[in-house]
């Protein structure tokens, strides 16, 4: 058997298949191009290449989108019939766990693989993504830091691990080291959108518009082309312009970069679009008819209820578009999801449903109820995933509810907290 670009044994003897697989790994790490096509090219060379099937299943299942369900299942079935190393078996089992709603189990399994095989950058990355969805902030940081023991400066994969570590450090509040790691990684490969993103988070957390806007705007020619992740970095830039009060630029970014195709039903894109329009909506800024096509794109997911974080973002679009019927359908589906086995039942009950009720209350003008519901669970909301920057929408909605509902003490408290945290810029 051959070894991949990091030295891990893989389940093929075809050098042509391996070349495509190695290409796919690079694309996955940089969130660029079409890694599924590269994996398919590897599998065309060697249909029994279990490592490629496992990577394909893992990549697709982490899109948190029911649209990929059949392709995930096809990859899992084909992988089970293919030649598998012990590591491949664990990757495949982790993807199956995720597919069946056992997100925590799958992520734990990937952590074991990564600890025992620190040069398995794919395991480190998939575990990292799992931690992101599960709000496991310390492991978001520690997984890549552990793996760095097997890499020296100049090694293939070193910068990718630095970038992951940078994001984990940022989510744990270690902004100085996050920025140091991030800047070193960007110097290694400025095309790495995840690394650029890690430093963008540092700037967002600090409220540092002066550093944050040029960081994204001036370097976009490196990170944006061919990036499957670009819409999210553009979203970060839009947040900074919103803080700067430049709503023309925010709407321009929405139309041209965050949501260039208003009919796109890619869930991860829809999350950022919902979050951006909702923030504008909170500020009382006229967003025209932008919520309507977004709500139409989310409609297919209205009753998915397999990841509460997605459900809440669908609900924002429905409420913004005045589609209370769809919002109610989503909330009912979330309530039904409590009885389904898996991690989503827990986060729906503890976090997702109280927040959905709070956002519905806000849209109905029941501001005191909205603020109370959101603030009651805000402190544990990391359990339904996302970043601090993404979950800031909870605080912002509670703050606007407090302002509109005349809850002066609550509004003052939340403003004070905000001013303290965003002390730079
Ligand atoms: Fe982000």
């Amino acid at each position: 058997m051959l070894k991949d670009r990091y030295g891990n044994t893989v389940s093929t003897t075809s050098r042509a298949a391996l070349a495509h697989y190695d290409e796919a790994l690079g694309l996955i790490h940089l969130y660029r191009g079409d890694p599924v096509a590269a994996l398919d090219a590897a599998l065309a060379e060697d249909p029994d290449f279990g490592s490629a099937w496992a990577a394909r299943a893992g990549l697709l299942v982490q899109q948190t989108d029911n649209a990929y369900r059949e392709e995930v299942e096809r990859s899992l079935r084909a992988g089970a019939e293919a030649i598998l190393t012990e590591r491949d078996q664990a990757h495949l089992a982790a993807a199956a766990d995720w597919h069946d709603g056992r997100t925590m189990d799958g992520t734990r399994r990937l952590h074991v693989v990564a600890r025992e095989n620190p040069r398995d950058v794919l395991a480190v990355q998939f575990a990292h993504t799992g931690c992101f969805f599960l709000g496991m902030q310390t492991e978001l940081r520690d997984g890549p830091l552990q793996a760095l023991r097997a890499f020296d400066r100049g090694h293939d994969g070193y910068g990718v691990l630095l970038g992951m570590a940078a994001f984990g450090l940022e989510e744990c509040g270690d902004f100085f080291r996050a920025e140091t790691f991030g800047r070193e990684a960007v110097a290694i490969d400025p095309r790495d959108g995840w690394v650029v993103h890690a430093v963008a988070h540092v700037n967002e957390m600090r409220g540092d518009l002066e550093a944050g806007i040029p960081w994204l705007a001036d370097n976009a020619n490196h990170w944006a082309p061919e990036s499957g992740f670009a819409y999210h970095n553009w979203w970060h830039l839009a947040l900074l312009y919103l803080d700067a009060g430049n709503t023309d630029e925010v709407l321009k970014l929405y139309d041209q970069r965050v949501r260039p195709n208003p009919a796109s039903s890619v869930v991860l894109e829809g999350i950022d679009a919902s979050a951006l329009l909702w923030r504008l909506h909170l500020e009382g800024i006229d967003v025209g008819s932008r919520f309507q096509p977004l709500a139409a794109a989310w409609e297919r997911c209205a009753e998915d209820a397999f990841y509460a974080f997605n459900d809440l973002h669908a609900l924002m679009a429905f409420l913004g578009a005045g589609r209370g019927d769809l919002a109610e359908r989503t909330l009912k589906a979330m309530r039904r999801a409590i009885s389904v086995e898996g991690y989503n039942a827990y986060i729906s009950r503890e976090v997702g449903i109280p927040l959905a009720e709070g956002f519905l209350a806000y849209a109905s003008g029941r501001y005191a109820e909205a603020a109370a519901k959101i603030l009651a669970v805000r402190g544990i909301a990391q359990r339904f995933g996302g970043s601090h920057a993404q979950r800031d929408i909870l605080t912002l909605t509670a703050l606007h509810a407090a302002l509109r509902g005349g809850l002066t003490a609550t509004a003052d408290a939340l403003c004070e907290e905000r001013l303290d945290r965003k002390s730079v810029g």
Side-chain angles (χ1 to χ4, degrees), residues 123-134:
V124 179
Q125 183 177 359
F126 282 175
H128 190 66
T129 314
C131 290
F132 178 75
F133 289 127
L134 293 163

Side-chain angles (χ1 to χ4, degrees), residues 132 167 171 194 197-198 200-201 229 232-233 235-236 272 387 389-390:
F132 178 75
F167 183 64
E171 288 295 291
W194 188 251
H197 171 248
H201 267 265
F229 184 67
H232 185 70
N233 280 341
W235 174 81
H236 274 282
D272 287 343
S387 63
Q390 285 175 308

Side-chain angles (χ1 to χ4, degrees), residues 298-343:
W298 272 114
E299 188 167 352
R300 75 170 174 89
C301 305
E303 295 182 73
D304 277 357
F306 75 92
Y307 183 30
F309 186 82
N310 293 358
D311 299 333
L312 185 69
H313 285 82
L315 191 120
M316 288 177 214
F318 298 149
L319 292 174
R323 294 294 308 272
D325 57 327
L326 289 174
E328 289 290 347
R329 269 172 57 192
T330 299
L331 181 56
K332 279 183 187 153
M334 293 172 83
R335 287 178 177 144
R336 286 196 299 275
I338 290 177
S339 59
V340 177
E341 194 188 340
Y343 186 73

Side-chain angles (χ1 to χ4, degrees), residues 19-30:
H20 290 300
Y21 178 77
D22 275 341
E23 181 200 356
L25 292 183
L27 295 174
I28 292 169
H29 300 328
L30 296 179

Side-chain angles (χ1 to χ4, degrees), residues 101-113:
R102 298 186 302 275
T103 322
M104 185 71 83
D105 292 339
T107 303
R108 284 193 188 114
R109 205 185 285 274
L110 289 162
H111 272 130
V112 172
V113 177

